[in-house]
């Protein structure tokens, strides 16, 4: 604050506190003319309302005076009286810096402790899971959902079902988060709509869902020559390519005939961003533990 403004503030404070103090001293002594009936003689509403005269109650004076002293005391101890710092030398910036430093020390110690543990052990640590939940809702929930159940519009997988595109060990999950993933399902529209429909029926048959048996049989040979390159001979997927298991009734993009046809006709390209440049390695370690926990909650070992 420039010294001009500082003096302006000091002047205002002295004026206001001084005026209040003067009123305190003066008001009890001030003589107000009072009529014999105890009123000032002021009348409103045709005599319905008249102005009485009562001294201020003692409790009111005592509390007000205490507030007055508190205000003076505050200006002595804390900043506020122009640019004076106050005898306690307190400032919100210093308090924030102290709190931040204390938090950083606590967090560093926690991250160091967790850094020495495996992802699987981090998953079982309650403190790590609390931190992981916060990191997850800040960075991952937009695509994977607040509870990690995924989003079929983005092809963001459910992270709670222990079914993995790229593998579910602590190391696999860490790699997914660090480097990101990009699954490429090529479009097959060139095969023509009837073939796409037949393939979709065959895909439905793989997970034992209601399907048109004749259409599925017509789609099978093409599946076995073309699609198995990525989805595997039995359609169980390939974690090296992120090609999903088509036999498990778990769908990235939805398992209705229409959704499956769209997938086959137009292809899909799910993109998991790489977090390595954005999040520190210790944060990614904690997140990997949290994701591992999400998918193993039913398993006592990782509780
Ligand atoms: C922009 C949307 C988006 C965000 C944000 C995002 N993800 Fe993903 N994630 C995806 C998609 C899409 C996939 C599937 C990629 C694919 O199909 O190849 C995926 C895949 C994954 C996988 C692999 C799952 C498997 O089955 O192998 C993990 C683990 C994962 N994400 C964790 C995270 C974590 C942890 C975060 C937060 C740091 C995060 N994701 C943030 C979209 C996102
Ligand atoms: C080049 C490898 C590759 C080939 C060939 C391939 N796919 Fe895929 N497919 C993928 C990948 C990778 C995904 C996951 C896409 C993503 O993560 O966004 C996928 C996803 C799918 C899905 C969506 C599954 C879900 O959970 O929603 C279906 C259905 C599918 N493929 C069927 C087929 C059929 C039918 C063929 C043969 C015509 C085929 N794929 C050929 C790699 C392939």
């Amino acid at each position: 604050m420039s010294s001009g403004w500082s003096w302006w503030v000091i002047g205002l404070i002295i004026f206001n506190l001084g005026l209040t103090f003067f009123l305190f001293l003066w008001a009890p002594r001030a003589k107000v003319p009072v009529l014999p009936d105890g009123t000032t003689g002021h009348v409103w509403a045709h005599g319905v309302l008249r102005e009485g005269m009562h001294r201020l109650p003692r409790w009111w004076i005592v509390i007000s005076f205490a507030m007055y002293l508190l205000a003076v005391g505050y200006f002595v101890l804390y900043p506020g009286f122009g640019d004076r710092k106050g005898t306690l030398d307190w400032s919100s910036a210093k308090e924030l810096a102290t709190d931040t430093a204390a938090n950083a020390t606590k967090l560093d110690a926690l991250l160091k402790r967790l850094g020495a543990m495996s992802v699987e052990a981090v998953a079982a640590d309650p403190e790590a899971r609390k931190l992981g939940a916060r990191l997850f809702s800040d960075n991952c929930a937009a695509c994977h959902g607040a509870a990690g159940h995924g989003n079929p519009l983005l092809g963001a997988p459910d992270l709670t079902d222990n079914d993995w595109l790229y593998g579910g060990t602590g190391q696999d999950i860490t790699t997914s988060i660090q480097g990101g993933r990009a699954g490429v399902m090529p479009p097959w529209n060139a095969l023509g709509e009837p073939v796409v429909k037949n393939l979709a029926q065959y895909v439905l048959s793989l997970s034992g869902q209601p399907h048109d048996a004749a259409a599925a049989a017509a789609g099978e040979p093409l599946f076995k020559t073309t699609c198995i390159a990525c989805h595997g001979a039995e359609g169980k997927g390939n974690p090296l390519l992120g090609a999903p298991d088509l036999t498990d009734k778990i769908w990235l993009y939805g398992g209705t005939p229409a959704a499956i046809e769209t997938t086959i006709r137009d292809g899909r390209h799910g993109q998991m961003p790489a977090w390595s440049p954005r999040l520190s390695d210790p944060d990614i370690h904690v997140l990997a533990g949290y994701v591992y926990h999400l998918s193993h909650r039913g398993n006592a070992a990782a509780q």
Side-chain angles (χ1 to χ4, degrees), residues 198-256:
N198 290 345
L199 282 168
Q201 291 304 314
Y202 182 70
V203 168
L204 281 169
S205 76
L206 286 174
S207 50
Q209 291 181 87
H211 59 278
D212 175 338
E220 183 172 355
L222 189 56
F223 188 92
K224 293 207 160 148
T225 49
T226 311
C227 315
I228 58 167
C230 296
H231 290 282
E234 287 160 15
K236 288 199 175 297
N238 181 346
L240 294 176
L241 302 167
D245 184 345
L246 299 176
T247 68
D248 58 6
K249 287 200 187 122
I250 296 176
W251 301 96
L252 276 173
Y253 297 97
T256 62

Side-chain angles (χ1 to χ4, degrees), residues 125-185:
D125 187 285
E127 244 184 318
R129 291 208 302 246
K130 229 161 94 188
L131 183 59
R134 208 163 318 136
L135 285 167
F136 190 86
S137 73
D138 283 353
N139 299 289
C140 324
C143 294
H144 289 282
H149 288 300
N151 182 344
L153 294 176
L154 301 166
D158 186 338
L159 299 175
T160 70
D161 57 8
N162 203 14
D163 175 72
W164 302 96
L165 291 167
Y166 298 94
T169 65
Q171 184 53 54
D172 293 333
I173 298 173
T174 305
T175 308
S176 289
I177 303 173
Q178 276 177 336
R181 300 284 194 185
V184 179
M185 159 72 184

